[in-house]
């Protein structure tokens, strides 16, 4: 059986890690370089680095901060934000990323997924989907959760995987930062639709939320969270001990 991964997420704005609720009200947390180094040494299996305003501001990702962050991290690093072309893939991979996350750029040009998978391999291409309920439907949002694309989320995720995405991060806007637990209904629908690794994001508030996630949905490969790790509410070594006690295989 595949071991479950625990992944802290660094949402970076103007060179600092920030965190909000339902993608709004962003507050300053820490330096991405220092935080990444801490997680790398303290049990994180992977790390996600999002330049969260790159797409909205129509610019490329901050490569200087990324390069310094990557130099301090000795676990797999996934990077996203402002990824709109193969040149963007090339740039962040040369800065030290192991995987590249696409969201708004893929919504504008789905062929980017296929092109990147052909050039770098599917294992390098991560489809990140920001999803919110609208009128009883799971809807995909672009530009950091700002724009309702009108696309039904499960259909879009299936399309992205068919084009070559080797992993999917499901960001539930409804549960983001609320700390009431992961969006199990949404995640179950995604797991039923695709056969690639699925990463759950949005809603973790306590260790029991991770236990519930993996016990209820064994098809979910990883749990991703931000504020509960950033503010010391959950220590990753303690979380892994708790998961082991509940029969969940972790690294």
């Amino acid at each position: 059986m595949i071991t479950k991964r625990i992944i802290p997420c660094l949402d970076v704005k103007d060179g600092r890690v920030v965190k909000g609720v339902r993608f709004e009200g962003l507050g300053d947390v820490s330096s991405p370089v220092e935080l990444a180094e801490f997680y790398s040494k303290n049990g994180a299996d992977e790390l996600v680095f999002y330049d969260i305003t790159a797409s909205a501001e129509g610019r490329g990702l901050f490569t200087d901060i990324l390069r310094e962050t990557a130099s301090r991290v000795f676990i797999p690093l996934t990077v996203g934000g402002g990824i709109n072309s193969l040149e963007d893939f090339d740039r962040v991979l040369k800065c030290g990323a192991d995987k590249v996350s696409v969201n708004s750029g893929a919504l504008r040009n789905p062929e980017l997924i296929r092109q990147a998978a052909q050039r770098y391999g599917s294992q390098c291409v991560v489809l990140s989907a920001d999803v919110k309920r609208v009128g009883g439907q799971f809807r995909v949002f672009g530009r950091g959760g700002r724009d309702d694309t009108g696309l039904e989320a499960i259909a879009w995720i299936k399309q992205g995987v068919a084009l070559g995405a080797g992993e999917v991060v499901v960001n539930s806007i409804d549960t983001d930062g609320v700390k009431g637990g992961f969006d199990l209904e949404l995640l179950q629908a995604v797991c039923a639709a695709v056969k690639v690794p699925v990463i759950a994001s949005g809603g973790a508030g306590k260790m029991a939320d991770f236990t519930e996630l993996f016990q209820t949905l064994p098809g979910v490969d990883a749990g991703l969270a931000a504020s509960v790790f950033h503010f010391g509410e959950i220590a990753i070594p303690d979380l892994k001990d708790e998961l082991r006690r509940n029969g969940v295989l972790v690294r």
Side-chain angles (χ1 to χ4, degrees), residues 201-214:
S201 171
K206 55 188 182 299
M207 288 195 280
D209 293 332
F210 287 89
T211 302
E212 181 186 37
L213 170 70
F214 294 130

Side-chain angles (χ1 to χ4, degrees), residues 35-188:
L35 210 50
E37 187 172 23
F38 171 80
Y39 288 134
S40 183
K41 292 176 177 176
N42 283 273
D45 297 304
E46 297 188 15
L47 202 59
V48 170
F49 179 112
Y50 287 139
D51 186 339
I52 60 170
T53 55
S55 290
E57 294 170 3
R59 60 167 171 78
L61 185 141
F62 292 125
T63 50
D64 51 343
I65 295 166
L66 171 57
R67 192 175 285 112
E68 190 178 356
T69 301
S71 72
R72 307 273 193 98
V73 170
F74 301 100
I75 52 178
L77 177 64
T78 297
V79 177
I83 306 296
N84 297 298
S85 65
L86 288 179
E87 290 71 28
D88 291 328
F89 266 82
D90 199 53
R91 187 162 53 88
V92 299
L93 289 169
K94 284 177 177 172
C95 285
D98 298 283
K99 294 184 274 191
V100 182
S101 175
V102 288
N103 189 329
S104 296
L107 287 166
R108 282 189 292 272
N109 174 25
E111 276 300 306
L112 175 61
I113 298 172
R114 189 197 309 276
Q115 293 163 359
Q118 287 175 344
R119 179 175 292 188
Y120 303 108
S122 288
Q123 81 289 340
C124 181
V125 183
V126 180
L127 177 64
S128 178
D130 297 334
V131 182
K132 185 177 181 180
R133 289 165 177 78
V134 179
Q137 183 184 60
F138 292 127
R139 202 79 65 79
V140 178
F141 279 65
R143 293 177 67 243
R146 293 167 179 82
D147 298 344
D148 183 351
T149 65
L151 290 172
E152 196 279 321
I154 307 305
W156 164 243
I157 289 168
K158 286 176 72 172
Q159 181 185 352
V161 170
L163 287 167
E167 191 167 78
V168 177
V169 177
V170 183
N171 309 300
S172 171
I173 299 175
D174 293 315
T175 62
D176 175 71
V178 179
K179 299 185 179 179
F182 290 96
D183 194 332
L184 301 179
E185 181 189 18
L186 168 60
L187 291 161
Q188 184 172 26

Side-chain angles (χ1 to χ4, degrees), residues 3-9 43-48 167-171 181-184 187 197-207 209-214 217-226 228-229 234 236 239-240 243 248-251:
T3 55
K4 304 304 183 184
R5 291 172 283 153
I6 303 300
I7 306 175
C9 177
D45 297 304
E46 297 188 15
L47 202 59
V48 170
E167 191 167 78
V168 177
V169 177
V170 183
N171 309 300
F182 290 96
D183 194 332
L184 301 179
L187 291 161
V198 172
I199 298 172
S201 171
K206 55 188 182 299
M207 288 195 280
D209 293 332
F210 287 89
T211 302
E212 181 186 37
L213 170 70
F214 294 130
L217 299 175
V220 169
D221 288 75
L224 181 149
V228 289
F229 296 143
I234 296 176
I236 293 175
L239 172 59
K240 289 189 168 184
L243 289 169
V248 178
L249 287 178
V250 291
R251 296 177 186 180

Side-chain angles (χ1 to χ4, degrees), residues 21 26 88 99 191 196:
V21 176
L26 301 175
D88 291 328
K99 294 184 274 191
C191 288
V196 298

